[in-house]
Amino acid sequence: MKSTVQYPRPTSWQSLQAAMLYHYASTEALKELHGLVRGLIDGTVDPQLALARMASGESILAKVGREDRAVNTTQSECTWIFLGDLERKLAKDVAARGFGRYEPTATDTCLRNAEQNPMLWVPAEDDAPYQAAVRLINHLAGPIDNTLSEVGRWNDFSLLLGSRGFCRVHPTRPMYRIREDICARTGEPPPRTGVYLSAEAPHATLQFAWTKGRACKLRDASTFNDIGLAALDFARRDRLWSDVDRMYEFATLPSVAELFHDGINICGSTYRELAPSAVARSAFTNKPSKWYLVEPDGDARMPSELVWD
């Protein structure tokens, strides 16, 4: 029998956060990263062409003909040896995900080993495709690792920066509901694997936590401090972080200009585009919280454009 309980819904921005976190924690996203690494090894993905297509909003995993490949089988094997190590680790991660186990990928470790091991020096003629491959891998692995980090790497600023690209690739998203009956506090393991919303900090960034394997305990809420609240009040939700001019206006207000001066002025020149990140570095605080599970509401879906409450 279908439940008649009416659960509250998160705001549109919270719903978009939930959609992003559920996707980045999904087996689908992990398989996409594994497929990219596998394609780079096989030479079926040209990293430079894929980067160009990514910039234009097309698929990051575009296949190209052999005559167009920048990565081919004649390249030195040691140039791409780190990819083989990463590919094997990702395959294990995909298998573990089937048992409900989550952990960050080995991308950072493998790339660090590639940089530090002299045997992995890249020939000059291969440097451009190598760097393009690293950027492609980081593009897919970064959000996954941010989502599955036990210390919590996401905040309102970083999620907003990634949201427009996410919306282009995912034109619709599920509708969500807040399960106030499924809750836990900071420092406790979640009662169920999923995305959690702070019950006590309305502007806190949502977080993903899981129960199996090396369970991830719910972390402190990343939320606005007084500076962040002032920026939100000044820019409003629809322009916060994304509107460079509005953020520059805030950063140069007499009441806060001294705080942000060094963040937007370099060697005597002013860089308006640095205002959002300069403000973000001073806008957040962490505090314990009670957390509610946010889950998809059946098959209902809504457009994924940025529509603010």
Side-chain angles (χ1 to χ4, degrees):
M1 182 175 178
K2 187 174 181 180
S3 174
T4 59
V5 176
Q6 296 296 313
Y7 295 104
R9 293 195 183 280
T11 67
S12 59
W13 172 224
Q14 290 170 337
S15 294
L16 182 51
Q17 290 183 58
M20 295 172 71
L21 296 178
Y22 271 119
H23 172 72
Y24 295 138
S26 69
T27 305
E28 175 190 2
L30 191 60
K31 287 182 176 179
E32 184 180 10
L33 175 60
H34 179 260
L36 170 62
V37 174
R38 183 74 258 171
L40 289 168
I41 293 172
D42 294 342
T44 54
V45 172
D46 177 339
Q48 293 171 295
L49 182 57
L51 270 178
R53 292 186 175 180
M54 181 178 68
S56 64
E58 296 184 35
S59 173
I60 193 173
L61 290 178
K63 301 293 184 180
V64 296
R66 290 186 176 272
E67 66 278 9
D68 296 325
R69 288 199 323 234
V71 180
N72 55 63
T73 56
T74 64
Q75 288 182 326
S76 170
E77 183 178 354
C78 69
T79 301
W80 302 94
I81 194 171
F82 83 93
L83 289 176
D85 188 30
L86 179 58
E87 189 273 334
R88 288 188 292 272
K89 288 181 169 61
L90 288 172
K92 291 181 179 179
D93 289 343
V94 171
R97 191 63 60 81
F99 296 96
R101 297 177 179 175
Y102 297 80
E103 63 179 41
T105 71
T107 302
D108 286 346
T109 300
C110 291
L111 293 181
R112 193 179 309 116
N113 289 342
E115 293 174 355
Q116 295 175 351
N117 194 326
M119 293 183 63
L120 299 180
W121 285 346
V122 179
E125 65 272 17
D126 294 339
D127 186 62
Y130 174 85
Q131 295 300 331
V134 169
R135 289 177 61 193
L136 280 171
I137 293 168
N138 281 327
H139 178 82
L140 287 184
I144 296 173
D145 292 341
N146 288 347
T147 301
L148 302 183
S149 169
E150 293 184 0
V151 298
R153 296 179 182 175
W154 289 119
N155 60 27
D156 193 271
F157 173 69
S158 56
L159 273 173
L160 190 282
L161 287 186
S163 63
R164 281 174 169 77
F166 178 84
C167 289
R168 284 196 300 269
V169 178
H170 303 275
T172 64
R173 66 175 183 266
M175 296 184 72
Y176 294 93
R177 59 186 185 180
I178 302 172
R179 293 292 302 272
E180 296 179 349
D181 56 325
I182 302 177
C183 59
R185 297 203 66 87
T186 291
E188 299 176 351
R192 185 187 298 179
T193 295
V195 172
Y196 284 80
L197 174 151
S198 172
E200 300 166 345
H203 301 297
T205 301
L206 277 62
Q207 61 175 286
F208 181 84
W210 58 95
T211 61
K212 295 184 179 180
R214 190 172 62 182
C216 176
K217 297 179 180 179
L218 289 161
R219 303 174 292 277
D220 283 345
S222 171
T223 190
F224 294 134
N225 57 19
D226 289 343
I227 291 291
L229 290 172
L232 175 64
D233 183 63
F234 185 85
R236 301 303 178 186
R237 181 74 263 180
D238 62 332
R239 300 174 71 181
L240 184 67
W241 314 129
S242 60
D243 189 323
V244 170
D245 291 335
R246 190 62 173 169
M247 296 306 299
Y248 178 77
E249 291 176 22
F250 174 77
T252 53
L253 290 174
S255 58
V256 295
E258 184 177 355
L259 177 63
F260 301 121
H261 178 272
D262 292 346
I264 60 178
N265 292 277
I266 301 175
C267 298
S269 298
T270 299
Y271 295 87
R272 301 172 68 94
E273 65 272 17
L274 296 179
S277 59
V279 174
R281 287 194 292 273
S282 300
F284 299 103
T285 188
N286 295 323
K287 63 181 183 180
S289 178
K290 182 179 181 180
W291 296 90
Y292 294 142
L293 176 71
V294 177
E295 66 178 8
D297 189 6
D299 296 326
R301 301 189 71 82
M302 62 189 298
S304 193
E305 316 71 50
L306 291 179
V307 179
W308 307 114
D309 298 276

